[in-house]
Coordinates of all heavy atoms in Angstrom, one line a residue:
M1 N -14.3 -245.4 -198.8 CA -14.8 -245.1 -197.4 C -14.0 -244.0 -196.8 O -14.6 -243.2 -196.0 CB -14.6 -246.4 -196.6 CG -15.1 -246.3 -195.2 SD -16.9 -246.1 -195.3 CE -17.3 -246.0 -193.6
S2 N -12.7 -243.8 -197.1 CA -11.9 -242.7 -196.5 C -12.4 -241.4 -196.9 O -12.3 -240.4 -196.2 CB -10.5 -242.9 -196.9 OG -10.3 -242.8 -198.3
V3 N -13.1 -241.3 -198.1 CA -13.6 -240.0 -198.5 C -14.8 -239.6 -197.6 O -14.9 -238.4 -197.2 CB -14.1 -240.1 -200.0 CG1 -14.9 -238.8 -200.4 CG2 -12.9 -240.3 -200.9
W4 N -15.6 -240.5 -197.2 CA -16.7 -240.2 -196.3 C -16.2 -239.9 -194.9 O -16.8 -239.0 -194.3 CB -17.7 -241.4 -196.3 CG -18.5 -241.5 -197.5 CD1 -18.4 -242.4 -198.5 CD2 -19.5 -240.6 -198.0 NE1 -19.2 -242.1 -199.5 CE2 -19.9 -241.0 -199.2 CE3 -20.0 -239.4 -197.4 CZ2 -20.9 -240.3 -200.0 CZ3 -21.0 -238.7 -198.2 CH2 -21.4 -239.2 -199.4
I5 N -15.1 -240.5 -194.5 CA -14.6 -240.1 -193.2 C -14.0 -238.7 -193.3 O -14.3 -237.9 -192.3 CB -13.4 -241.1 -192.8 CG1 -14.0 -242.5 -192.6 CG2 -12.7 -240.6 -191.6 CD1 -13.0 -243.6 -192.4
A6 N -13.4 -238.3 -194.4 CA -12.9 -236.9 -194.5 C -14.1 -235.9 -194.6 O -14.0 -234.9 -193.9 CB -12.1 -236.8 -195.8
I7 N -15.1 -236.3 -195.2 CA -16.3 -235.4 -195.3 C -16.9 -235.3 -193.9 O -17.3 -234.2 -193.5 CB -17.4 -236.0 -196.3 CG1 -16.8 -235.8 -197.7 CG2 -18.7 -235.2 -196.2 CD1 -17.7 -236.5 -198.8
G8 N -17.1 -236.4 -193.2 CA -17.6 -236.3 -191.8 C -16.7 -235.5 -190.9 O -17.2 -234.7 -190.1
A9 N -15.4 -235.7 -191.0 CA -14.5 -234.9 -190.1 C -14.6 -233.4 -190.5 O -14.5 -232.6 -189.6 CB -13.1 -235.4 -190.3
T10 N -14.7 -233.1 -191.7 CA -14.8 -231.7 -192.1 C -16.1 -231.1 -191.6 O -16.1 -230.0 -191.1 CB -14.7 -231.6 -193.7 OG1 -13.5 -232.1 -194.1 CG2 -14.8 -230.1 -194.1
A11 N -17.2 -231.8 -191.8 CA -18.5 -231.3 -191.3 C -18.4 -231.1 -189.8 O -18.9 -230.1 -189.3 CB -19.6 -232.3 -191.7
L12 N -17.9 -232.0 -189.0 CA -17.7 -231.9 -187.6 C -16.8 -230.7 -187.2 O -17.2 -229.9 -186.3 CB -17.2 -233.2 -187.0 CG -17.0 -233.2 -185.5 CD1 -18.3 -233.1 -184.8 CD2 -16.3 -234.4 -185.0
G13 N -15.7 -230.6 -188.0 CA -14.9 -229.4 -187.7 C -15.5 -228.1 -187.9 O -15.4 -227.2 -187.2
C14 N -16.3 -228.0 -189.0 CA -17.1 -226.8 -189.3 C -18.1 -226.5 -188.2 O -18.3 -225.3 -187.8 CB -17.8 -226.9 -190.7 SG -16.7 -226.8 -192.1
Y15 N -18.8 -227.5 -187.8 CA -19.7 -227.3 -186.7 C -19.0 -226.8 -185.4 O -19.5 -225.9 -184.7 CB -20.5 -228.6 -186.4 CG -21.4 -228.5 -185.3 CD1 -22.7 -227.9 -185.4 CD2 -21.1 -229.0 -184.0 CE1 -23.6 -227.8 -184.4 CE2 -22.0 -228.9 -182.9 CZ -23.2 -228.3 -183.1 OH -24.1 -228.2 -182.1
L16 N -17.9 -227.4 -185.1 CA -17.2 -227.0 -183.9 C -16.7 -225.6 -184.0 O -16.7 -224.8 -183.0 CB -16.0 -228.0 -183.6 CG -16.5 -229.4 -183.2 CD1 -15.2 -230.3 -183.0 CD2 -17.2 -229.3 -181.9
V17 N -16.2 -225.2 -185.2 CA -15.8 -223.8 -185.3 C -16.9 -222.8 -185.2 O -16.8 -221.8 -184.6 CB -15.1 -223.6 -186.7 CG1 -14.9 -222.2 -187.1 CG2 -13.7 -224.3 -186.7
K18 N -18.1 -223.2 -185.7 CA -19.3 -222.4 -185.6 C -19.7 -222.3 -184.1 O -20.0 -221.2 -183.6 CB -20.4 -223.0 -186.4 CG -21.7 -222.2 -186.3 CD -21.6 -221.0 -187.1 CE -23.0 -220.4 -187.2 NZ -23.0 -219.1 -187.9
L19 N -19.6 -223.4 -183.4 CA -20.0 -223.4 -182.0 C -19.0 -222.6 -181.2 O -19.4 -221.8 -180.3 CB -20.0 -224.8 -181.5 CG -20.4 -225.0 -180.0 CD1 -21.9 -224.6 -179.8 CD2 -20.3 -226.5 -179.6
L20 N -17.7 -222.6 -181.5 CA -16.7 -221.8 -180.8 C -17.0 -220.3 -181.1 O -16.8 -219.5 -180.2 CB -15.3 -222.2 -181.3 CG -14.1 -221.5 -180.8 CD1 -14.0 -221.8 -179.3 CD2 -12.9 -221.8 -181.5
G21 N -17.3 -220.0 -182.3 CA -17.6 -218.6 -182.6 C -18.8 -218.1 -181.8 O -18.9 -216.9 -181.4
L22 N -19.8 -218.9 -181.6 CA -21.0 -218.5 -180.8 C -20.7 -218.4 -179.3 O -21.4 -217.7 -178.6 CB -22.1 -219.5 -181.0 CG -22.7 -219.5 -182.5 CD1 -23.7 -220.6 -182.6 CD2 -23.4 -218.2 -182.8
S23 N -19.6 -219.0 -178.9 CA -19.4 -219.0 -177.4 C -18.4 -217.9 -177.0 O -18.1 -217.7 -175.9 CB -18.8 -220.4 -177.0 OG -17.5 -220.6 -177.6
V24 N -17.9 -217.1 -178.0 CA -17.0 -216.0 -177.7 C -17.9 -214.9 -177.0 O -18.9 -214.5 -177.5 CB -16.4 -215.4 -179.0 CG1 -15.6 -214.2 -178.7 CG2 -15.5 -216.5 -179.6
P25 N -17.4 -214.3 -175.9 CA -18.1 -213.2 -175.2 C -18.3 -212.0 -176.1 O -17.4 -211.7 -177.0 CB -17.2 -212.9 -174.0 CG -16.3 -214.1 -173.9 CD -16.1 -214.7 -175.2
A26 N -19.4 -211.3 -176.0 CA -19.7 -210.1 -176.8 C -18.7 -209.0 -176.6 O -18.4 -208.3 -177.6 CB -21.1 -209.6 -176.4
G27 N -18.1 -208.9 -175.4 CA -17.1 -207.9 -175.2 C -15.8 -208.1 -176.1 O -15.2 -207.1 -176.5
V28 N -15.5 -209.3 -176.4 CA -14.3 -209.6 -177.3 C -14.7 -209.2 -178.7 O -13.9 -208.6 -179.4 CB -14.0 -211.1 -177.2 CG1 -12.9 -211.4 -178.3 CG2 -13.5 -211.4 -175.8
L29 N -15.9 -209.5 -179.1 CA -16.3 -209.2 -180.5 C -16.5 -207.7 -180.8 O -16.5 -207.2 -181.9 CB -17.6 -209.9 -180.8 CG -17.5 -211.4 -180.8 CD1 -18.9 -212.0 -181.0 CD2 -16.5 -211.9 -181.8
E30 N -16.7 -206.9 -179.7 CA -16.9 -205.4 -179.9 C -15.6 -204.6 -179.9 O -15.7 -203.4 -180.1 CB -17.8 -204.9 -178.7 CG -19.2 -205.5 -178.8 CD -20.1 -205.1 -177.6 OE1 -19.5 -204.5 -176.6 OE2 -21.2 -205.5 -177.6
R31 N -14.5 -205.3 -179.7 CA -13.2 -204.6 -179.8 C -12.9 -204.1 -181.2 O -13.2 -204.9 -182.1 CB -12.1 -205.5 -179.3 CG -12.2 -205.9 -177.8 CD -11.0 -206.7 -177.4 NE -11.1 -207.2 -176.1 CZ -10.5 -208.2 -175.6 NH1 -9.7 -208.9 -176.3 NH2 -10.7 -208.5 -174.3
P32 N -12.4 -202.9 -181.4 CA -12.2 -202.4 -182.7 C -11.2 -203.3 -183.5 O -11.4 -203.5 -184.7 CB -11.6 -201.0 -182.5 CG -12.1 -200.6 -181.1 CD -12.2 -201.9 -180.3
L33 N -10.2 -203.8 -182.9 CA -9.2 -204.6 -183.6 C -9.8 -205.9 -184.1 O -9.6 -206.3 -185.2 CB -8.0 -205.0 -182.6 CG -6.9 -205.9 -183.2 CD1 -6.3 -205.2 -184.4 CD2 -5.9 -206.3 -182.2
V34 N -10.7 -206.5 -183.3 CA -11.4 -207.7 -183.7 C -12.3 -207.5 -184.9 O -12.4 -208.2 -185.8 CB -12.1 -208.4 -182.5 CG1 -12.9 -209.6 -183.0 CG2 -11.1 -208.8 -181.5
Q35 N -13.0 -206.3 -184.8 CA -13.9 -206.0 -185.9 C -13.2 -205.7 -187.2 O -13.6 -206.1 -188.2 CB -14.8 -204.8 -185.5 CG -15.8 -205.1 -184.4 CD -16.6 -203.9 -184.0 OE1 -16.3 -202.8 -184.4 NE2 -17.7 -204.2 -183.3
R36 N -12.0 -205.0 -187.1 CA -11.2 -204.7 -188.3 C -10.7 -206.0 -188.9 O -10.7 -206.2 -190.1 CB -10.1 -203.8 -187.9 CG -9.3 -203.3 -189.1 CD -8.6 -202.0 -188.7 NE -7.7 -201.6 -189.7 CZ -8.0 -201.0 -190.9 NH1 -9.2 -200.8 -191.2 NH2 -7.0 -200.7 -191.7
L37 N -10.2 -206.9 -188.0 CA -9.6 -208.2 -188.5 C -10.7 -209.0 -189.2 O -10.5 -209.6 -190.2 CB -9.0 -209.0 -187.4 CG -7.6 -208.5 -186.9 CD1 -7.1 -209.3 -185.7 CD2 -6.6 -208.6 -188.1
A38 N -11.9 -209.0 -188.6 CA -13.0 -209.8 -189.1 C -13.5 -209.2 -190.5 O -13.9 -210.0 -191.3 CB -14.2 -209.8 -188.2
A39 N -13.3 -207.9 -190.7 CA -13.6 -207.3 -192.0 C -12.6 -207.6 -193.0 O -12.9 -207.7 -194.2 CB -13.9 -205.8 -191.8
L40 N -11.3 -207.6 -192.6 CA -10.2 -207.6 -193.6 C -9.7 -209.0 -193.9 O -9.2 -209.3 -195.0 CB -9.0 -206.8 -193.1 CG -9.3 -205.3 -193.1 CD1 -8.1 -204.5 -192.6 CD2 -9.7 -204.7 -194.5
L41 N -9.8 -210.0 -193.0 CA -9.3 -211.3 -193.1 C -9.9 -212.0 -194.3 O -9.2 -212.6 -195.1 CB -9.4 -212.1 -191.8 CG -8.7 -213.4 -191.8 CD1 -7.2 -213.2 -192.0 CD2 -8.9 -214.1 -190.5
P42 N -11.2 -212.0 -194.5 CA -11.8 -212.7 -195.7 C -11.3 -212.1 -197.0 O -11.1 -212.9 -198.0 CB -13.3 -212.5 -195.5 CG -13.5 -212.3 -194.1 CD -12.3 -211.6 -193.6
V43 N -11.1 -210.8 -197.1 CA -10.6 -210.2 -198.3 C -9.2 -210.7 -198.6 O -8.8 -211.0 -199.7 CB -10.7 -208.7 -198.1 CG1 -10.1 -208.0 -199.3 CG2 -12.1 -208.2 -198.0
A44 N -8.4 -210.7 -197.5 CA -7.0 -211.1 -197.7 C -6.9 -212.6 -198.1 O -6.1 -213.0 -199.0 CB -6.2 -210.9 -196.4
L45 N -7.7 -213.4 -197.5 CA -7.7 -214.9 -197.9 C -8.2 -215.1 -199.4 O -7.7 -215.9 -200.1 CB -8.6 -215.7 -196.9 CG -8.0 -215.8 -195.5 CD1 -9.1 -216.5 -194.6 CD2 -6.7 -216.6 -195.6
L46 N -9.2 -214.3 -199.8 CA -9.7 -214.4 -201.1 C -8.7 -213.9 -202.1 O -8.5 -214.5 -203.2 CB -11.0 -213.6 -201.3 CG -11.7 -213.7 -202.6 CD1 -12.0 -215.2 -203.0 CD2 -13.0 -212.9 -202.7
A47 N -8.0 -212.8 -201.8 CA -7.0 -212.3 -202.7 C -5.8 -213.3 -202.8 O -5.3 -213.5 -203.9 CB -6.5 -211.0 -202.1
A48 N -5.5 -214.0 -201.7 CA -4.4 -215.0 -201.8 C -4.8 -216.2 -202.6 O -4.0 -216.7 -203.4 CB -4.0 -215.4 -200.4
L49 N -6.1 -216.6 -202.5 CA -6.6 -217.7 -203.3 C -6.6 -217.3 -204.8 O -6.2 -218.2 -205.6 CB -8.0 -218.1 -202.8 CG -8.7 -219.2 -203.6 CD1 -7.9 -220.5 -203.5 CD2 -10.1 -219.4 -203.2
I50 N -7.0 -216.1 -205.1 CA -7.1 -215.7 -206.5 C -5.7 -215.7 -207.1 O -5.4 -216.1 -208.2 CB -7.8 -214.3 -206.6 CG1 -9.3 -214.5 -206.4 CG2 -7.5 -213.7 -208.0 CD1 -10.0 -213.2 -206.2
A51 N -4.7 -215.1 -206.3 CA -3.3 -215.0 -206.8 C -2.8 -216.4 -207.0 O -2.1 -216.7 -208.0 CB -2.5 -214.2 -205.8
Q52 N -3.0 -217.3 -206.1 CA -2.5 -218.7 -206.2 C -3.1 -219.4 -207.4 O -2.4 -220.1 -208.1 CB -2.7 -219.4 -204.9 CG -2.0 -220.8 -204.8 CD -2.9 -221.9 -205.3 OE1 -4.1 -221.9 -205.3 NE2 -2.2 -222.9 -205.7
Q53 N -4.4 -219.3 -207.6 CA -5.0 -219.9 -208.7 C -4.6 -219.3 -210.1 O -4.7 -220.0 -211.1 CB -6.5 -219.9 -208.6 CG -7.0 -220.7 -207.4 CD -6.9 -222.2 -207.7 OE1 -7.1 -222.7 -208.8 NE2 -6.4 -223.0 -206.7
T54 N -4.3 -218.0 -210.1 CA -4.0 -217.3 -211.3 C -2.5 -217.5 -211.8 O -2.3 -217.8 -212.9 CB -4.2 -215.8 -211.2 OG1 -5.6 -215.6 -210.8 CG2 -4.0 -215.1 -212.5
F55 N -1.6 -217.5 -210.8 CA -0.2 -217.5 -211.2 C 0.6 -218.7 -210.9 O 1.8 -218.8 -211.1 CB 0.5 -216.3 -210.5 CG -0.1 -215.0 -210.8 CD1 -0.7 -214.2 -209.9 CD2 0.0 -214.5 -212.1 CE1 -1.2 -213.0 -210.2 CE2 -0.5 -213.2 -212.5 CZ -1.1 -212.5 -211.5
E56 N -0.1 -219.8 -210.5 CA 0.6 -221.0 -210.1 C 0.1 -222.2 -210.9 O -1.0 -222.3 -211.2 CB 0.4 -221.3 -208.6 CG 1.2 -222.5 -208.1 CD 0.4 -223.8 -208.1 OE1 -0.9 -223.8 -208.2 OE2 1.0 -224.8 -208.2
D57 N 1.1 -223.0 -211.4 CA 0.8 -224.2 -212.1 C 1.8 -225.3 -211.7 O 2.9 -225.3 -212.3 CB 0.8 -224.0 -213.6 CG 0.3 -225.2 -214.4 OD1 -0.5 -226.0 -213.9 OD2 0.9 -225.4 -215.5
Q58 N 1.4 -226.2 -210.9 CA 2.3 -227.3 -210.4 C 3.7 -226.8 -210.0 O 4.7 -227.2 -210.6 CB 2.4 -228.3 -211.6 CG 1.0 -228.8 -212.0 CD 0.9 -230.3 -212.0 OE1 1.9 -231.0 -211.8 NE2 -0.2 -230.8 -212.2
M59 N 3.7 -226.0 -209.0 CA 4.9 -225.5 -208.4 C 5.7 -224.6 -209.3 O 6.9 -224.4 -209.1 CB 5.8 -226.7 -207.9 CG 5.1 -227.6 -207.0 SD 4.6 -226.9 -205.4 CE 6.2 -226.7 -204.7
S60 N 5.2 -223.9 -210.3 CA 5.9 -223.0 -211.1 C 5.0 -221.7 -211.3 O 3.8 -221.8 -211.4 CB 6.3 -223.6 -212.4 OG 5.2 -224.0 -213.2
L61 N 5.7 -220.6 -211.5 CA 5.0 -219.4 -211.8 C 4.6 -219.3 -213.3 O 5.4 -219.6 -214.2 CB 5.9 -218.2 -211.5 CG 5.4 -216.8 -211.7 CD1 4.2 -216.6 -210.7 CD2 6.4 -215.8 -211.4
V62 N 3.4 -218.9 -213.5 CA 2.8 -218.9 -214.9 C 2.2 -217.5 -215.1 O 1.4 -217.1 -214.3 CB 1.8 -220.0 -215.1 CG1 1.2 -219.9 -216.5 CG2 2.5 -221.4 -214.9
L63 N 2.5 -217.0 -216.3 CA 1.8 -215.8 -216.7 C 1.0 -216.1 -218.0 O 1.7 -216.4 -219.0 CB 2.7 -214.6 -217.0 CG 3.3 -214.0 -215.7 CD1 4.3 -212.9 -216.1 CD2 2.3 -213.4 -214.8
D64 N -0.3 -216.2 -218.0 CA -1.0 -216.6 -219.1 C -2.3 -215.8 -219.2 O -2.4 -214.7 -218.7 CB -1.4 -218.1 -219.1 CG -2.1 -218.5 -217.9 OD1 -2.5 -217.7 -217.1 OD2 -2.4 -219.7 -217.8
A65 N -3.3 -216.3 -219.9 CA -4.6 -215.5 -220.1 C -5.2 -215.1 -218.8 O -5.9 -214.1 -218.7 CB -5.5 -216.3 -221.0
R66 N -5.1 -216.0 -217.8 CA -5.7 -215.7 -216.5 C -5.1 -214.4 -215.9 O -5.9 -213.6 -215.3 CB -5.5 -216.8 -215.5 CG -6.2 -218.1 -216.0 CD -5.9 -219.3 -215.1 NE -4.5 -219.6 -215.2 CZ -3.9 -220.5 -214.5 NH1 -4.6 -221.3 -213.7 NH2 -2.6 -220.7 -214.7
A67 N -3.8 -214.2 -216.1 CA -3.2 -213.0 -215.5 C -3.8 -211.7 -216.3 O -4.0 -210.7 -215.6 CB -1.7 -213.1 -215.7
A68 N -4.0 -211.8 -217.6 CA -4.6 -210.7 -218.3 C -6.0 -210.4 -217.8 O -6.4 -209.3 -217.7 CB -4.5 -211.0 -219.8
G69 N -6.8 -211.5 -217.6 CA -8.1 -211.3 -217.1 C -8.1 -210.6 -215.7 O -8.9 -209.8 -215.4
L70 N -7.2 -211.0 -214.8 CA -7.1 -210.4 -213.5 C -6.7 -209.0 -213.6 O -7.2 -208.1 -212.9 CB -6.1 -211.2 -212.7 CG -5.9 -210.8 -211.2 CD1 -7.2 -210.9 -210.5 CD2 -4.8 -211.6 -210.6
G71 N -5.8 -208.7 -214.6 CA -5.4 -207.3 -214.8 C -6.6 -206.4 -215.2 O -6.8 -205.3 -214.8
A72 N -7.4 -207.0 -216.1 CA -8.6 -206.3 -216.6 C -9.6 -206.1 -215.5 O -10.2 -205.0 -215.4 CB -9.3 -207.1 -217.7
A73 N -9.7 -207.0 -214.6 CA -10.6 -206.9 -213.5 C -10.1 -205.8 -212.5 O -10.8 -205.0 -212.0 CB -10.7 -208.2 -212.7
A74 N -8.8 -205.7 -212.3 CA -8.2 -204.7 -211.5 C -8.4 -203.3 -212.0 O -8.7 -202.4 -211.3 CB -6.7 -205.0 -211.3
V75 N -8.3 -203.2 -213.4 CA -8.5 -201.9 -214.0 C -10.0 -201.5 -213.8 O -10.3 -200.3 -213.5 CB -8.1 -201.9 -215.5 CG1 -8.6 -200.7 -216.2 CG2 -6.6 -202.1 -215.6
A76 N -10.9 -202.4 -214.0 CA -12.3 -202.2 -213.8 C -12.6 -201.8 -212.4 O -13.4 -200.9 -212.1 CB -13.1 -203.4 -214.2
L77 N -11.9 -202.4 -211.4 CA -12.1 -202.0 -210.0 C -11.6 -200.6 -209.7 O -12.2 -199.8 -209.0 CB -11.5 -203.0 -209.1 CG -12.2 -204.3 -208.9 CD1 -11.3 -205.3 -208.2 CD2 -13.5 -204.1 -208.2
V78 N -10.5 -200.3 -210.3 CA -9.9 -198.9 -210.1 C -10.9 -197.9 -210.7 O -11.0 -196.8 -210.1 CB -8.5 -198.8 -210.8 CG1 -8.0 -197.4 -210.8 CG2 -7.5 -199.7 -210.0
L79 N -11.5 -198.2 -211.8 CA -12.5 -197.3 -212.4 C -13.8 -197.3 -211.7 O -14.8 -196.7 -212.2 CB -12.6 -197.6 -213.9 CG -11.4 -197.5 -214.7 CD1 -11.6 -198.0 -216.2 CD2 -11.0 -196.0 -214.7
R80 N -13.9 -198.1 -210.6 CA -15.1 -198.2 -209.8 C -16.3 -198.8 -210.6 O -17.5 -198.3 -210.4 CB -15.4 -196.9 -209.1 CG -14.3 -196.4 -208.3 CD -14.5 -195.2 -207.5 NE -15.2 -195.1 -206.3 CZ -15.0 -195.8 -205.2 NH1 -14.1 -196.8 -205.2 NH2 -15.7 -195.6 -204.1
A81 N -16.1 -199.8 -211.4 CA -17.2 -200.4 -212.2 C -18.0 -201.3 -211.3 O -17.5 -201.8 -210.2 CB -16.6 -201.2 -213.3
P82 N -19.2 -201.5 -211.6 CA -20.0 -202.5 -210.8 C -19.5 -203.9 -210.9 O -18.7 -204.2 -211.8 CB -21.4 -202.4 -211.5 CG -21.4 -201.2 -212.3 CD -20.0 -200.9 -212.7
F83 N -19.8 -204.7 -209.9 CA -19.3 -206.1 -209.8 C -19.4 -206.9 -211.1 O -18.5 -207.5 -211.6 CB -19.9 -206.8 -208.6 CG -19.4 -208.2 -208.5 CD1 -18.1 -208.4 -208.0 CD2 -20.2 -209.3 -208.8 CE1 -17.6 -209.7 -207.9 CE2 -19.7 -210.5 -208.6 CZ -18.4 -210.8 -208.2
L84 N -20.6 -206.9 -211.7 CA -20.8 -207.7 -212.9 C -20.0 -207.2 -214.1 O -19.6 -208.0 -214.9 CB -22.3 -207.6 -213.3 CG -23.2 -208.4 -212.3 CD1 -24.7 -208.3 -212.7 CD2 -22.8 -209.9 -212.2
V85 N -19.7 -205.9 -214.1 CA -18.9 -205.4 -215.2 C -17.4 -205.8 -214.9 O -16.7 -206.2 -215.9 CB -19.0 -203.8 -215.2 CG1 -18.0 -203.2 -216.2 CG2 -20.4 -203.4 -215.6
V86 N -17.0 -205.9 -213.7 CA -15.7 -206.4 -213.4 C -15.5 -207.8 -213.8 O -14.5 -208.2 -214.5 CB -15.4 -206.2 -211.9 CG1 -14.1 -206.9 -211.5 CG2 -15.4 -204.7 -211.5
V87 N -16.5 -208.6 -213.5 CA -16.5 -210.0 -213.8 C -16.5 -210.2 -215.4 O -15.7 -211.0 -216.0 CB -17.6 -210.8 -213.2 CG1 -17.7 -212.2 -213.7 CG2 -17.4 -210.8 -211.7
A88 N -17.4 -209.4 -216.0 CA -17.5 -209.5 -217.5 C -16.2 -209.1 -218.2 O -15.7 -209.7 -219.1 CB -18.6 -208.6 -218.0
A89 N -15.5 -208.0 -217.6 CA -14.2 -207.6 -218.2 C -13.2 -208.7 -218.1 O -12.4 -209.0 -219.0 CB -13.8 -206.3 -217.5
A90 N -13.1 -209.3 -216.9 CA -12.2 -210.4 -216.7 C -12.4 -211.6 -217.7 O -11.5 -212.1 -218.3 CB -12.2 -210.9 -215.3
V91 N -13.7 -211.9 -217.8 CA -14.0 -213.1 -218.7 C -13.7 -212.7 -220.1 O -13.1 -213.6 -220.8 CB -15.5 -213.4 -218.5 CG1 -16.0 -214.4 -219.6 CG2 -15.8 -214.0 -217.1
L92 N -14.1 -211.6 -220.6 CA -13.9 -211.2 -222.0 C -12.4 -211.1 -222.3 O -12.0 -211.6 -223.4 CB -14.6 -209.9 -222.3 CG -16.1 -210.0 -222.3 CD1 -16.7 -208.6 -222.5 CD2 -16.6 -210.9 -223.4
V93 N -11.6 -210.5 -221.5 CA -10.2 -210.4 -221.7 C -9.5 -211.7 -221.7 O -8.7 -212.1 -222.6 CB -9.5 -209.4 -220.7 CG1 -8.0 -209.4 -220.8 CG2 -10.0 -208.0 -221.0
T94 N -9.9 -212.6 -220.7 CA -9.3 -213.9 -220.7 C -9.6 -214.7 -221.9 O -8.8 -215.3 -222.5 CB -9.8 -214.6 -219.4 OG1 -9.4 -213.9 -218.2 CG2 -9.2 -216.0 -219.3
A95 N -10.9 -214.6 -222.3 CA -11.3 -215.4 -223.5 C -10.6 -214.8 -224.8 O -10.2 -215.6 -225.6 CB -12.8 -215.3 -223.7
G96 N -10.5 -213.5 -224.8 CA -9.8 -212.9 -226.0 C -8.3 -213.3 -226.1 O -7.8 -213.6 -227.2
V97 N -7.6 -213.3 -225.0 CA -6.2 -213.7 -225.0 C -6.1 -215.2 -225.3 O -5.2 -215.6 -226.1 CB -5.6 -213.4 -223.6 CG1 -4.2 -213.9 -223.5 CG2 -5.5 -211.9 -223.4
R98 N -7.0 -216.0 -224.8 CA -6.9 -217.4 -225.1 C -7.2 -217.7 -226.6 O -6.6 -218.6 -227.2 CB -7.9 -218.2 -224.3 CG -7.4 -218.4 -222.9 CD -8.2 -219.3 -222.0 NE -7.6 -219.5 -220.7 CZ -8.3 -219.9 -219.7 NH1 -9.5 -220.3 -219.8 NH2 -7.7 -220.0 -218.5
A99 N -8.1 -216.9 -227.2 CA -8.4 -217.0 -228.6 C -7.2 -216.6 -229.5 O -7.0 -217.1 -230.6 CB -9.6 -216.2 -228.9
L100 N -6.5 -215.6 -229.0 CA -5.3 -215.2 -229.8 C -4.1 -216.1 -229.7 O -3.2 -216.1 -230.6 CB -4.9 -213.8 -229.3 CG -5.9 -212.7 -229.6 CD1 -5.4 -211.4 -228.9 CD2 -6.1 -212.5 -231.1
T101 N -4.0 -216.9 -228.6 CA -2.9 -217.8 -228.5 C -3.2 -219.2 -229.0 O -4.2 -219.6 -229.2 CB -2.4 -217.9 -227.0 OG1 -3.5 -218.3 -226.2 CG2 -1.9 -216.5 -226.6

């Protein structure tokens, strides 16, 4: 039962955050700083999540096949490859390193 309470609380919280976002005056949303933060914050959060999932294992730092895949994706991004090529490079390198170990 506590799982359903957590799901309900999360759904209610998401609804309230959405409602709060809709009630912000347009003047606040048109400020350059707010627009820049709105554009960069999701990227920073996603990068932090990727780094945490790649390099952490139960409170310890780990360098394994996932780090090699992330490196391959970074190289593909620097070379300005399309998104699917970036994902494919990460998958192939990660699978290759796992196959070798």
Side-chain angles (χ1 to χ4, degrees):
M1 185 65 180
S2 62
V3 172
W4 287 109
I5 294 172
I7 291 171
T10 302
L12 180 65
C14 289
Y15 177 76
L16 291 175
V17 167
K18 180 73 170 178
L19 185 63
L20 180 66
L22 292 173
S23 65
V24 174
V28 173
L29 298 176
E30 293 172 357
R31 293 181 185 161
L33 178 62
V34 173
Q35 289 180 349
R36 185 157 170 81
L37 284 175
L40 294 177
L41 191 60
V43 174
L45 290 174
L46 182 59
L49 177 63
I50 290 170
Q52 190 268 335
Q53 291 291 318
T54 301
F55 299 114
E56 185 266 338
D57 183 35
Q58 304 234 350
M59 304 296 289
S60 62
L61 181 63
V62 175
L63 291 176
D64 59 2
R66 296 174 295 180
L70 184 61
V75 169
L77 284 172
V78 168
L79 296 174
R80 303 180 80 53
F83 178 73
L84 290 178
V85 174
V86 172
V87 172
V91 168
L92 291 173
V93 169
T94 302
V97 171
R98 285 187 177 163
L100 294 174
T101 57

